[in-house]
Amino acid sequence: MQMTDVDRTNTPVLRLKDVYYTYPDGVESLRGVSLEVYRDEKVGLVGPNGAGKSTLMTVVIGIRIPRTGEVEVLGQVLNPKTRREIRRRAGLVFQDPDDQLFCPTVFDEVAFAPINMGYPEEQVTEMVARALKQVDLEGYERRSSFHLSIGERKRLAFATVLSYSPEILLIDEPSANLDPQHRRQTINLLKSLPQTMLIATHDLDLVLDVCERCFVINRGRIVADGDVESILTDEQLLLSNGLELPLSRQ
Amino acid sequence: MHHSFLDKYSELESPVHRIHPLVKLCGYGVILLFTLTASIYRPLEFVIAGVLILGVVSISRIPIIYVIRKTLLLSPLMITLLILLPFIRGERILWGINFIFPISITAEGVYLSGTIAVKSVLVFWSSVLLVSTTRFPDLLYALRMVRVPQTMITVLAFMYRYVFLLIDETERMETAHRARLVRRQGLPLLMKSVVYLVRAIFIRSFERSTRVYQAMCARGFRGEVCLLQTPSIHTADIVFLFVFTGLIVVIKLAI
């Protein structure tokens, strides 16, 4: 594994140790993944299709249970007892907003998590207003989510997670299917959010723009970990793992 | 997505749109009861119900032609009923023939088919009116207030949310299928393609429902959809409901 200098003096907020995950059809998606993410870091997770990026994201919040290995989020080891608390403190934004947006209105959508987490009504209303303001969707409360454009749906998907202010954001393909303008809006949003982030993406230019550090994952294994500049300018490393230099570095 | 939504006109501004969804649902129940208890032997009841519904449609600024056009959706069922029902058994035979076995059109059958046809149209118009003047989430809220089981409301909400995506995916697959079609298919091949299409839709729907469930779990879902309460009913809404119900009762008793 290629390693570069990263400040590892603090306790990591996210730690995976030798995690294996196999799908019911026998496909081994994660094969001994170990990684650490530190507070306030914005970290990219890059790799080709089928590398295990999305699986890793769902494993972190206990949607998929690893066959072996240990997942630790904000000091809590993931297990059925801690899963709920971990989901409250770490939010996952899915790749396809249509998977994430299922409520009749934008308000219900953003309020879904706070209500399920047991916040009182007045606080839920405040949380919804704040989250919608963060993603620039104020005034959309009464609208149906599927009447929105893809860019608006993406931002709404962020709001559904931001509403309960998780300390860690896990974001799966934030720029997928977006036109250049909406992609830029998403990048600006990611840069403006203060949370610790793990961003799974193919969009290496986005990683260069937003993240300080990145992991390269291929065939279920972390093959490189280091600062974005050194990883994303290593053409040999990228080519051997189904990637290529970011457009801005070509 | 370019589908016409079920509640296409629900965002219009009109006195009917402003009525509380629960009151609209109750009013819908009253007009249903009036229509379903009406008899073909007292046709004035049907005329009054029709005039009342179309009157409210025009107040709500929904084009009457839209409501009438929607009625065409009923035509396959109506045609079947109109063809088959006159042949049911009855006392008064209007016309008969002996062909292998006796076939006859009875007065009771004709009345029954007429009654069902008219009632179906009126109930359908009322339903279109309700859905077109009430936003779907508000309708779900009203259903919840009248104690419709939560599971049913959740299913309705999911149906409303995902039916368009399902149509979209079907259209995309159909386009892809047509794009690869070099010549006209025979019936066996066409049937085979349809089976593949249905199978693909089923698998995609299953996969999507899994992902949606995962997204729900990630946001704290534990098996029950919890929603915040919406504002309470105003006095004007209650007055309207009483006046409307009273009017219907008076009409019913007067005829």
Side-chain angles (χ1 to χ4, degrees), chain A residues 61 63-64 84 87 94 96 98-102 104-105 107 109 112-113 115-116 121 124 142 145-147 160 164, chain B residues 5 135 137-138 140 158 160-162 164-165 208 211-212 214-222 224 226-229:
Chain A
I61 55 164
I63 287 175
R64 293 195 167 96
R84 199 165 165 238
R87 285 177 185 170
F94 283 67
D96 184 350
D98 284 326
D99 293 339
Q100 186 147 358
L101 308 176
F102 44 78
T105 66
F107 181 90
E109 203 68 75
F112 183 88
I115 294 170
N116 277 288
E121 195 172 324
V124 170
R142 304 273 289 163
S145 54
F146 54 84
H147 287 166
T160 63
Y164 54 96
Chain B
F5 292 98
R135 290 169 63 256
D138 294 339
L140 294 181
F158 275 89
Y160 179 68
R161 171 67 185 88
Y162 287 102
F164 306 107
L165 275 179
R208 184 176 290 279
R211 291 198 302 270
V212 170
Q214 286 173 352
M216 292 172 80
C217 289
R219 280 153 64 197
F221 180 69
R222 282 174 295 153
E224 193 186 333
C226 321
L227 294 171
L228 289 185
Q229 296 298 305

Side-chain angles (χ1 to χ4, degrees), chain A residues 142 144 146-147, chain B residues 5-14 16-19 24 60-63 66 128-139 160:
Chain A
R142 304 273 289 163
S144 301
F146 54 84
H147 287 166
Chain B
F5 292 98
L6 296 171
D7 52 353
K8 189 178 167 184
Y9 291 102
S10 63
E11 299 286 348
L12 288 178
E13 263 301 311
S14 82
V16 185
H17 285 78
R18 281 194 289 274
I19 298 171
K24 271 188 267 191
S60 66
R61 297 172 54 204
I62 297 165
Y66 167 80
V128 172
L129 176 63
L130 176 71
V131 174
S132 302
T133 55
T134 318
R135 290 169 63 256
F136 201 74
D138 294 339
L139 198 57
Y160 179 68

